[in-house]
């Protein structure tokens, strides 16, 4: 993919990588005992999005642009934190209030 990115730019290279990722996960999904397509697609998606931001930050640092490099790496940490914490905090209010509805058991002991 680096050759594609060099030929058509960062956005074009990311697009081609995403298209290849989608094609591969679509072809693998019908096989027996394979996880659903979304399970196969998500790691590649996050690698292309968050991972590319981290690589850009490291590359920028290596080129000597310290402030811009650390800015990209800070964005990486912020986005990863949002992706990790968001679903957890979103699931909490969606839980039923009553323990029996959550799958728990009510104890008759007091």
């Amino acid at each position: 993919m680096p050759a594609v990115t060099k030929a058509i730019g960062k956005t074009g290279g990311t697009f081609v990588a995403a298209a290849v990722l989608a094609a591969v996960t679509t072809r693998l999904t019908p096989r027996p005992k394979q996880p659903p397509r979304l399970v196969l697609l998500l790691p590649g998606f996050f690698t292309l999005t968050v991972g590319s931001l981290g690589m850009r930050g490291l590359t920028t640092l290596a080129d000597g642009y310290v402030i811009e490099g650390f800015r990209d790496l800070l964005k990486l940490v912020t986005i990863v934190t949002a992706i990790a914490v968001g679903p957890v905090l979103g699931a909490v209010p969606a839980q039923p209030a009553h323990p029996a509805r959550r799958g728990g058991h009510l104890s008759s002991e007091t």
Side-chain angles (χ1 to χ4, degrees):
M1 293 299 161
V4 173
T5 302
K6 212 172 222 183
I8 60 177
K10 291 178 186 176
T11 304
T14 303
F15 173 78
V16 170
V20 169
L21 173 67
V24 169
T25 56
T26 300
R27 295 291 291 172
L28 288 176
T29 302
R31 294 184 181 177
K33 298 185 180 181
Q34 280 288 26
R37 181 174 182 264
L38 184 61
V39 172
L40 296 173
L41 191 67
L42 279 177
F45 170 79
F46 286 115
T47 301
L48 287 172
T49 54
V50 180
S52 67
L53 186 59
M55 288 303 295
R56 185 173 71 196
L58 293 175
T59 303
T60 305
L61 277 174
D63 285 344
Y65 299 100
V66 177
I67 294 173
E68 292 85 357
F70 278 115
R71 188 177 300 138
D72 286 342
L73 292 175
L74 180 60
K75 286 180 191 176
L76 166 74
V77 170
T78 304
I79 291 171
V80 167
T81 303
I83 290 170
V85 175
V88 173
L89 293 180
V92 171
Q95 292 292 319
H98 196 273
R101 291 185 188 152
R102 285 193 302 242
H105 300 286
L106 293 176
S107 175
S108 59
E109 300 173 14
T110 54

